[in-house]
Amino acid sequence: MMLKRPITWFIVFVFSILIFAVVTLYQFNQSYSRHAVRTQLSAWALAQMELETLEFRHELALYLHTQRQDRSALILKYDILWSRYDTFLRSSETEKLRQAFSATPLVKRAFQTIRRHEQAVLEGQRPRLQLLLGEMDTLLPALRDLMINNLTGPAAIKQREYLANQLKHIYLTVGLILVLLGYFSWRMFRDSLTQQKMAWMDSITQLPNRNYLLYALQKAASKHVIHTLLVIDIRRFKDINDLLGYEQGDQALAKIGQKLNSICSPYGYTCARLSGNRFAVLTTADGHYLSFFTQPLRDTLRHALDDIYPDIQLTVALGIAKSTDLDAALHKDPEVFANTLLNNADLALLKAKNASPSKDSIVVFKPKFEADARERRQLKDDLNALLLDESQDELSLVYQPIISSEPNKLSCEALIRWQHPTLGQVSPQLLIDVAEEAGLGQRLGTWILRQVYAAMNTEWQTINQHIDIAINLSDSFFSEALLSDVVNIFMHHPEQRKRLVFEITETMSIDDIGRFSLLMNQLRDIGVKLALDDFGTGWSSMAVLNHLSFDKVKIDRSFVEHMATVSRQQILVDTICYMSHQLGIRVVAEGVETQEQLLSLQQMGVDEFQGYYFSKPLSAMDFYAFCIDYLSRQNTFSLKN
Ligand code: C2E
Ligand code: CA
Ligand code: CA
């Protein structure tokens, strides 16, 4: 594990203290031992001197009492003692001894005494030797005292006790320092582990997080390990939060995390939660035969997702990126390598999410995706410039008629078009996505409102009181700013606000239902009507209808399309009509392409119809012509021939 700098310094500090303590102890031990050796040596030297003095005195006494003539033993003892005293007083080895124990005067006195009687010893002069014996007897106790007092006496014992105590104190102090250091080191280590865990762990799923994944990717890159990254998005997860609340949403995420971990563990693969409903798996496979893993992964997640909430059909989108697809030169910078691989997997996931959300989809990264991403970036820049340019003619609105079953009533839906100079027609959905991603949703919305206002007061001036205009709201345009936009733009014709219908889809993010509903009421207060668009495509249609009040619901094209072939669709449309009418909500059917569809929808009681059967989206001028024709005939399109 990577240690942070302060911890590294702390550990260096701890080790310095430790080394200092050990060195101090070692030095003390060395000096203590040296002291002990010196004490032993001096004890031996002094004891030897006393012993030899005693032996000479004993030999002297023996010679005097036995009257014997042989003096060789006496002379030998004398010589030994002579050289002992001489060595003691002159040798460099006994210098410390002479100073430490102030033995010099005494030994000098003893040496002088025996030297004074040297002649008497050599010649055996008994009277003088008797004198020497007497002097020796007075010297001996002093020599003994020297030994006892200075070596084995209380002072020496005290000194040794002092040393031993000192040693004990050093041991205790060092021990205490070590215990304290150990305690603080442990605390710091534990704290750093917790911090690292928090920095690298996702608290909901207990899986590693994005930071850890990047670290693992960098490690794999720096070791040149071939690896493949899978990024997984649980689609429609938003429905769980919307329907069951965030608590259950978190529980579901935790379950998904557990499942994912159980699939990855046997292979030793790392799995992580990147954000929201997005997970990642870092495999050590080269990606060519990865289906051995992706297949069971998809199946296991599929079952787990079905179990979590059977009524919400969650699906899996999977983006795959292989390390072998990256330029080998990138290995030089593991951070860039890791970020590029993650980016590639994200791009593959983006493609996978283009597929229908009702099916699982897996997409492997292709270099072309980078070009698409570049194109998206270019679209963002271009759109930004267009919205600042009053005279641009790339963006325009077209209006698709919406026919009412009641006579003399006509509506239209404003739909955006972008004729790009190099890319041609940009799909409206892509345009809206790009605008939202680039944070331009609100500015684009304001531009659309202004266009509608302009059309109402120029092309449609003479008929505008007869037509309603539906405007699609994107995520970021549905905000408090929308209210002031409507008021400001329609300042000179506030009565025209009644002609506006704002279309909201249930897939829009409703983070705060209270705020959402308040804004809807405020819009309604200034005369704007509200429609629930693409009804039936999400999984929470009923919940939305239950919590928010709409003037219209727009049944999605897919229902109308399959009505003739799938009898359930007919029953559903019938039921939606009945239920909406009970709630006082008008029903609009989208994508009416044939007369048969129109007839069955009419039979079911649908109130308004939109589709190619009547007209494709038209320019403002063409829509005016359409209106004049339609209104002049005072007719409904059920009679169209
Ligand atoms: P939508 O709101 O469901 O708009 C209806 C789409 O269905 C339009 O596609 C329309 O041209 C198409 N359509 C209408 N009748 C038929 C039919 O009979 N058959 C078929 N096959 N299609 C029909 P378009 O204009 O491509 O718009 C697609 C989506 O882009 C819209 O779906 C809407 O979600 C979004 N969009 C378009 N213009 C705007 C806009 O100005 N603002 C916002 N926020 N979104 C817009
Ligand atoms: Ca719409
Ligand atoms: Ca629609």
Side-chain angles (χ1 to χ4, degrees), residues 413 415 472 503 533-534 554 590:
E413 178 177 3
L415 296 161
N472 292 286
E503 294 192 1
D533 199 2
D534 301 343
K554 292 186 81 175
E590 288 186 314

Side-chain angles (χ1 to χ4, degrees), residues 449-608:
L449 259 186
R450 286 218 178 94
Q451 293 299 112
V452 168
Y453 177 80
M456 285 173 89
N457 292 285
T458 50
E459 287 95 341
W460 311 334
Q461 201 171 19
T462 55
I463 53 157
N464 65 20
Q465 69 275 27
H466 298 290
I467 48 172
D468 279 356
I469 300 108
I471 296 173
N472 292 286
L473 298 186
S474 61
D475 257 332
S476 61
F477 195 40
F478 189 75
S479 71
E480 283 72 11
L482 172 63
L483 197 70
S484 51
D485 258 1
V486 176
V487 173
N488 290 337
I489 293 170
F490 286 83
M491 195 177 351
H492 301 299
H493 294 286
E495 76 288 353
Q496 289 177 4
R497 298 192 305 225
K498 287 202 210 101
R499 308 265 61 94
L500 298 178
V501 181
F502 284 163
E503 294 192 1
I504 295 166
T505 57
E506 57 182 302
T507 46
M508 277 170 71
S509 26
I510 308 176
D511 293 335
D512 180 350
I513 194 129
R515 187 182 140 259
F516 208 89
S517 150
L518 179 71
L519 194 53
M520 282 176 68
N521 289 337
Q522 287 170 330
L523 285 169
R524 201 174 272 124
D525 287 347
I526 62 165
V528 177
K529 290 188 274 291
L530 295 158
L532 179 55
D533 199 2
D534 301 343
F535 187 80
T537 50
W539 294 90
S540 50
S541 306
M542 287 301 166
V544 173
L545 213 54
N546 186 23
H547 287 103
L548 302 166
S549 40
F550 289 92
D551 301 284
K552 295 181 180 185
V553 293
K554 292 186 81 175
I555 300 174
D556 189 65
R557 207 165 63 223
S558 55
F559 281 87
V560 178
E561 196 183 337
H562 300 119
M563 226 169 39
T565 46
V566 186
S567 59
R568 275 172 53 160
Q569 301 286 60
Q570 222 170 27
I571 298 169
L572 274 172
V573 176
D574 209 13
T575 314
I576 293 168
C577 279
Y578 174 78
M579 189 191 63
S580 303
H581 288 154
Q582 292 297 309
L583 294 167
I585 301 171
R586 284 175 73 79
V587 179
V588 186
E590 288 186 314
V592 184
E593 293 186 350
T594 64
Q595 195 166 26
E596 295 75 57
Q597 286 170 343
L598 175 66
L599 287 173
S600 354
L601 290 165
Q602 276 182 321
Q603 274 167 16
M604 288 174 210
V606 171
D607 305 289
E608 295 176 29

Side-chain angles (χ1 to χ4, degrees), residues 146-161:
L146 177 70
M147 166 98 171
I148 290 170
N149 289 337
N150 291 329
L151 286 168
T152 54
I157 290 169
K158 222 167 140 186
Q159 199 179 7
R160 245 172 283 150
E161 273 175 1

